[in-house]
Amino acid sequence: MADLFPDRIVELGTGFWRSKVLLSAVELGVFSTLAQGPLDGETLRARLGIHPRSARDFFDALVALGMLNRDRDRYANIPETDLFLDRAKPSYMGGLVEMLNFRLYGFWGSLTEALRTGQPQNEAKSGGGNLFEALYSDPARLRLFLQAMTGISLGAARAMAQKFPWKQYRTFVDIGAAQGGLPVQIALAHSHLTGGGFDLPVVGPIFEEYVASFGLADRIRFQPGDFFTDPLPQADVLVMGHILHDWDLDEKRMLLHKAHTALDSGGALIVYEAIIDDERRRNAFGLLMSLNMLIETRGGFDYTGADCAGWMREVGFRETSVVHLVGNDSMVVGIK
Ligand SMILES: C[S@@+](CC[C@H](N)C(=O)[O-])C[C@H]1O[C@@H](n2cnc3c(N)ncnc32)[C@H](O)[C@@H]1O
């Protein structure tokens, strides 16, 4: 007993304090402001328009949490916050942080109710629609969500550009492509590929604007459609990122079956997300993502690599493999 301490419990219990400091820092523009150069605390406070009382604690907490550097009284971004959280850079992935701040931070407050009832706790809580019908009825929320998807998938997309044998293929389509974050990264890394993004028609203008900002409009096309009512487009490689986890098991199987039907023999399906380790004890992020699907969807859940490979084989894929991408993300590759 004498060598037991409750510090890990305290740290985990107060974990949302850390998270909210980062979310508010992005909301207030801390990193975008410091991207223009280091500032002393008083100048930074005045630029952000925050009250003097806790400004120093807030900035120093960001230093202690490893998100800012401080040299005497001058604060500066660390390389990661400068690259990924400066709104002026194309590498900005703060859309994810903004969505966490404006939507999920509040919705996760109802986790206990979600666990008791099995019901989503987001915009769909009162209405009958699914996540996307509820989200996409408001243009600002639509854009915020699609930008958040670019943020959450950027690392996996860069890793997939390196770890999949793209040289063997010529065409690819990202199914449920959102803003187009993944097709852009793949096309930037492989100039021989042409491809597209398939998604609901309402997503088209935001996809096209993002792809055009990278000068890729001639190689990456938007393909409007609904994967419940339409066949999937044909390509050498189909990709599904954070798609299967949105839906229940029958819907997952239906989507995998449609992908198998759309591919020619030798074609590949890449499923990627925070694939849970087969023993379901290490990838905490994947397990938390599955709880996030409880908050966000009616039947969605995350799954292990073995689960996904098994479903792929059931619908006819002859070879499957699970490949780690980066951090918590892996891809499951099925070859027809
Ligand atoms: C969770 S997001 C994943 C986005 C992207 N693949 C990624 O991983 O960053 C799910 C995507 O599926 C799209 N989607 C939802 N229902 C759809 C449907 N019925 N047909 C086509 N796309 C759909 C959404 O618009 C959204 O872009």
Side-chain angles (χ1 to χ4, degrees):
M1 285 293 281
D3 58 348
L4 291 182
F5 295 92
D7 51 305
R8 284 198 303 140
I9 297 172
V10 174
E11 181 149 338
L12 188 54
T14 56
F16 68 94
W17 296 0
R18 296 162 183 268
S19 164
K20 190 64 177 85
V21 163
L22 177 65
L23 306 193
S24 289
V26 170
E27 181 178 357
L28 290 164
V30 171
F31 307 109
S32 301
T33 304
L34 289 175
Q36 291 153 33
L39 291 174
D40 65 79
E42 178 48 27
T43 308
L44 179 59
R45 183 201 72 71
R47 293 242 178 115
L48 299 177
I50 61 178
H51 193 278
R53 178 175 170 198
S54 296
R56 190 166 168 232
D57 291 343
F58 177 51
F59 300 148
D60 288 341
L62 285 164
V63 172
L65 292 169
M67 295 287 109
L68 291 181
N69 283 322
R70 190 191 64 215
D71 183 9
R72 269 158 280 172
D73 182 38
R74 287 177 80 74
Y75 294 90
N77 284 336
I78 61 162
E80 288 92 333
T81 50
D82 205 64
L83 182 63
F84 294 120
L85 294 179
D86 170 15
R87 281 202 187 94
K89 295 195 176 77
S91 50
Y92 179 70
M93 52 80 71
L96 171 65
V97 182
E98 291 174 42
M99 188 183 76
L100 292 170
N101 197 23
F102 296 129
R103 296 186 59 250
L104 294 176
Y105 184 77
F107 297 149
W108 268 73
S110 304
L111 178 64
T112 311
E113 183 179 341
L115 290 166
R116 288 210 170 102
T117 62
Q119 293 301 318
Q121 301 298 317
N122 60 3
E123 295 88 350
K125 186 172 181 175
S126 43
N130 70 32
L131 165 66
F132 302 103
E133 286 155 358
L135 267 181
Y136 291 3
S137 56
D138 171 353
R141 258 195 323 233
L142 166 69
R143 185 174 282 273
L144 179 72
F145 181 80
L146 299 178
Q147 289 170 341
M149 293 304 103
T150 303
I152 204 160
S153 297
L154 183 64
R158 287 175 173 223
M160 193 190 296
Q162 293 170 11
K163 295 194 177 187
F164 183 77
W166 291 104
K167 286 200 167 44
Q168 298 173 24
Y169 302 94
R170 304 186 59 77
T171 60
F172 73 105
V173 178
D174 189 19
I175 305 297
Q179 199 181 17
L182 179 121
V184 161
Q185 292 301 320
I186 304 296
L188 286 175
H190 299 281
S191 57
H192 72 285
L193 289 173
T194 54
F198 174 93
D199 210 308
L200 297 166
V202 67
V203 172
I206 295 171
F207 178 99
E208 282 165 353
E209 178 189 316
Y210 183 75
V211 169
S213 75
F214 289 85
L216 289 169
D218 54 336
R219 283 170 53 214
I220 305 289
R221 296 278 160 80
F222 185 72
Q223 305 194 23
D226 180 330
F227 51 50
F228 286 110
T229 51
D230 299 320
L232 297 188
Q234 291 194 309
D236 299 342
V237 181
L238 295 178
V239 182
M240 287 184 184
H242 307 100
I243 301 300
L244 294 185
H245 79 166
D246 290 333
W247 308 104
D248 70 23
L249 185 54
D250 287 343
E251 292 162 332
K252 284 176 169 61
R253 287 196 168 111
M254 181 279 291
L255 289 168
L256 290 170
H257 177 71
K258 277 197 172 180
H260 185 265
T261 306
L263 291 168
D264 284 336
S265 176
L269 170 65
I270 307 174
V271 168
Y272 79 94
E273 47 195 305
I275 304 285
I276 299 169
D277 57 292
D278 288 346
E279 293 197 357
R280 295 175 55 85
R281 56 174 84 246
R282 282 187 304 280
N283 190 351
F285 183 84
L287 293 159
L288 293 170
M289 181 61 92
S290 201
L291 292 177
N292 193 49
M293 291 304 107
L294 166 66
I295 299 284
E296 288 273 47
T297 71
R298 298 201 178 276
F301 61 92
D302 288 70
Y303 47 85
T304 67
D307 291 335
C308 185
W311 302 326
M312 281 180 168
R313 281 193 297 270
E314 277 171 26
V315 302
F317 286 94
R318 62 182 163 82
E319 267 177 51
T320 58
S321 54
V322 182
V323 180
H324 178 249
L325 286 171
V326 64
N328 303 303
D329 286 337
S330 298
M331 60 180 171
V332 187
V333 180
I335 306 290
K336 179 165 173 178

